[in-house]
Amino acid sequence: MFVFLLLLGRYVEMAARHQAGSTSDALLRLLPASALRIRDGRAERVAAADLVAGDEVVVPAGEAFPVDGVLLAGTAVADESLLTGESAAIVKVAGDRLIGGSVNGGDPARMRVTAVGHDTALAGIVRLLERAQTERPAVARLADRWASWFVVIVLLSALAVAATWFALDPARAFGITLAVLVVSCPCALSLATPTAVTAATASLARRGLLVTRADALETLARSDTVVFDKTGTLTVGRPAIQAVRT
């Protein structure tokens, strides 16, 4: 029964971490699999993974920028809402930075590649998410420290119960002692906190809030003031009439 409860708890924690990890996969899927590279005056379709810093790339309207880079000429309209939360499209001019994963909402744009692979801004966000999913918050570390003492207390309590019932009714001593061990299962103390934190992180990610530090949730519970630095994180970019007064 102990093994079953422990494995069940580990399975729940694993399922929560797997669900949280799907957010990182969704971010990586923002990047297109191929790109239109300009070489020797000719355009060729290549895998985005084959791009290197210094390459020139043309991004058609409606497609995502495959990597980080700078706009070479003219203007471009970039939708960076999936990365920054800003719903309004941003007008870029020659020399401005373009973020891989954002969408080109204007005319075809020519860019020079400045960062690929793990050096892109999107990859940095994914690393922050992975760090948050693997590190243990302070409350979980505290629970682990208390768990060792809790085990000792549970075992001593079980021995006391067993001795008492063995003196009162030996036939019932084993069943009652086992019930004490099951009800006070120490593994629940170590599994409850990380499972709850992981589930909360995944739930926030589905709502567009990315947690980059596991301790943030614990700190948030003690917050009394929240300051927002831009409107894009508060709205969906689709104004609607709430009321009409004539």
Side-chain angles (χ1 to χ4, degrees), residues 10 21 30 43 47 53 70 75 81-82 86 100 106-107 121 128 146 186 201 203 216-217:
R10 293 292 184 185
L30 296 177
V70 294
T75 60
S81 58
L82 292 177
E86 182 59 65
D107 298 328
L128 289 176
W146 278 101
T201 302
S203 179
L217 294 177

Side-chain angles (χ1 to χ4, degrees), residues 118-137:
H118 296 291
D119 298 328
T120 62
L122 187 62
I125 295 175
V126 171
R127 284 195 298 271
L128 289 176
L129 292 178
E130 292 174 347
R131 182 190 66 186
Q133 293 163 12
T134 55
E135 70 178 6
R136 300 176 67 83

Side-chain angles (χ1 to χ4, degrees), residues 1-245:
M1 189 174 296
F2 267 124
V3 173
F4 170 75
L5 292 175
L6 182 61
L7 290 180
L8 181 62
R10 293 292 184 185
Y11 175 79
V12 172
E13 182 181 8
M14 180 198 68
R17 290 187 180 277
H18 179 74
Q19 189 175 17
S22 62
T23 304
S24 301
D25 297 335
L27 283 175
L28 291 176
R29 284 195 293 269
L30 296 177
L31 297 175
S34 63
L36 200 60
R37 183 174 62 186
I38 305 299
R39 179 165 291 182
D40 298 329
R42 293 183 302 174
E44 56 178 351
R45 178 68 64 174
V46 298
D50 294 336
L51 295 175
V52 296
D55 284 346
E56 291 189 15
V57 177
V58 173
V59 181
E63 290 190 10
F65 296 101
V67 290
D68 289 1
V70 294
L71 186 64
L72 289 178
T75 60
V77 179
D79 180 3
E80 301 177 350
S81 58
L82 292 177
L83 298 175
T84 64
E86 182 59 65
S87 57
I90 301 174
V91 177
K92 304 283 186 176
V93 298
D96 283 352
R97 183 189 180 194
L98 300 172
I99 302 177
S102 59
V103 179
N104 180 18
D107 298 328
R110 177 174 292 200
M111 63 179 290
R112 184 181 302 278
V113 177
T114 58
V116 297
H118 296 291
D119 298 328
T120 62
L122 187 62
I125 295 175
V126 171
R127 284 195 298 271
L128 289 176
L129 292 178
E130 292 174 347
R131 182 190 66 186
Q133 293 163 12
T134 55
E135 70 178 6
R136 300 176 67 83
V139 64
R141 296 192 296 270
L142 179 63
D144 288 341
R145 288 197 297 268
W146 278 101
S148 58
W149 292 100
F150 185 67
V151 169
V152 175
I153 295 173
V154 168
L155 293 178
L156 292 177
S157 301
L159 288 175
V161 170
T164 301
W165 278 97
F166 187 80
L168 297 176
D169 188 355
R172 302 180 60 189
F174 177 77
I176 292 177
T177 302
L178 181 62
V180 171
L181 290 174
V182 171
V183 169
S184 59
C185 180
C187 60
L189 181 62
S190 297
L191 290 175
T193 300
T195 302
V197 170
T198 304
T201 302
S203 179
L204 287 173
R206 289 194 298 271
R207 290 164 170 79
L209 299 175
L210 305 182
V211 179
T212 59
R213 285 288 186 184
D215 291 331
L217 294 177
E218 184 181 357
T219 305
L220 185 62
R222 301 191 298 270
S223 301
D224 57 8
T225 303
V226 180
V227 180
F228 295 93
D229 65 342
K230 60 179 181 176
T231 59
T233 55
L234 301 178
T235 67
V236 294
R238 295 188 297 273
I241 295 176
Q242 297 297 312
V244 177
R245 296 181 178 87

